[in-house]
Every structure is written in C-alpha cells, then in structure tokens.
Amino acid sequence: METLKVGDLIVSEDGAAKPVLFIGCQTFNAQSIRAFTQLCPVTIAKGTTATSTPLHDLHASPQHHIPVRAPELQTLCGFDAAFVAARDMPYARPGSATETTYVNLVCAPHTCIRANGCESETLFPGDTALLSMSLDDRRDIRAALDAGLTQKTAYPCLTAQEAAVCRSAIQSREKRAA
C-alpha cells in the first residue's frame, strides 16, 4: 500500500482492475489512541479467518469491514456474504495503543481488495467515514467520485449484535464438525 498512488490499478475481489480514486492517510498519536479507545486499532491475527488469512497480522480501524461468507449468513440473514466490523470479528483483539496511521483507498464502486492476503473493504465514503476526515479529504473524495456519494456498500453490513449471533452459529457448526 505504501507505493500506491491515485490512478494506479488494484485488483478487486472479482479479479477486475479498479483505479484508485483517492488515497488518504490519517495519523493519531498514542495519547489520542489512549484517550479515544474507538481509535485504537484492532488486530486480526495471522491465519485466524476461515480462509487461513491474513498472511501476517492485519491491523485495521475498529469500524473497518471484513467480508464474511458462511452458510449461517444465508440462514440467519438471507445473505451469501456480509461485512463485519473488524472489532466484531471472531478472533479480533485490541491492537497496540501507539501512534497509528490509517490508510484509506477509495474505488468506485465500493469493493474488496486483499490486505495481507485477507479480503478487506476499500473505504466506503459514508457519513461516518466522511465526518472523521479533513475538509480537504472530503472535497477530494467528492471530486474523485464526481459527487456520486450515493454508492452502496459492496455487501450488507452486519450490526455488532447480528455479527455476534452469526459468530455463535459458525462456532457451533465448527464444534460439531470437530
């Protein structure tokens, strides 16, 4: 990610090349991370997802979404796949409360890419994300999307409660299979 620039092509989950429309970085010092725990990164440890990813520990913001695919999703929610916030992933743990830089990529439409081998969303420029950004970044995103901020997420997003119910069902299935 460190070498990407606006205009570069990245491979999305469907194998299509998508241009990067915006790259934004936001750094929070350790004092801010400790004072506002919602800024503290979440770590998804190497090999803990159903597909044995990520290849290395993945550090993400708590609200960053990871796609989940499981038969239980169809039964419980009617979806083949859904986004779960990193903080609600089964094996997520609090990351280090040290200086943290979050890097965000915007593509149109909203899509998934690989981060450390793990599927991960690009930035969805919704209200919450935009409010956490500088005015300049908001302006740049609007310009990059030609003011088309009405795009929708690549997958439905589960609430924390829905993610917990789904996680419990998946873990029950895994215990029965063991």
Side-chain angles (χ1 to χ4, degrees), residues 40-56:
C40 189
V42 170
T43 299
I44 300 171
K46 172 185 173 179
T48 57
T49 70
T51 56
S52 298
T53 59
L55 302 175
H56 306 280

Side-chain angles (χ1 to χ4, degrees), residues 21-94:
L21 302 177
F22 170 84
I23 300 173
C25 297
Q26 199 167 14
T27 300
F28 298 96
N29 63 34
Q31 182 179 354
S32 294
I33 297 284
R34 284 190 296 275
F36 302 100
T37 56
Q38 68 271 27
L39 296 176
C40 189
V42 170
T43 299
I44 300 171
K46 172 185 173 179
T48 57
T49 70
T51 56
S52 298
T53 59
L55 302 175
H56 306 280
D57 287 357
L58 177 64
H59 307 285
S61 68
Q63 61 275 11
H64 188 81
H65 290 108
I66 307 294
V68 172
R69 293 172 182 79
E72 291 80 4
L73 276 172
Q74 185 58 247
T75 304
L76 295 169
C77 306
F79 310 132
D80 292 325
F83 280 130
V84 173
R87 68 178 168 263
D88 299 326
M89 291 292 289
Y91 302 105
R93 57 177 165 42

Side-chain angles (χ1 to χ4, degrees), residues 68 70-73 76-77 84 88-91 158-177:
V68 172
E72 291 80 4
L73 276 172
L76 295 169
C77 306
V84 173
D88 299 326
M89 291 292 289
Y91 302 105
L158 298 184
T159 65
Q161 185 175 5
E162 290 167 333
V165 169
C166 191
R167 179 176 53 247
S168 177
I170 293 168
Q171 289 170 339
S172 292
R173 173 181 42 90
E174 289 172 346
K175 284 180 186 176
R176 286 191 307 272

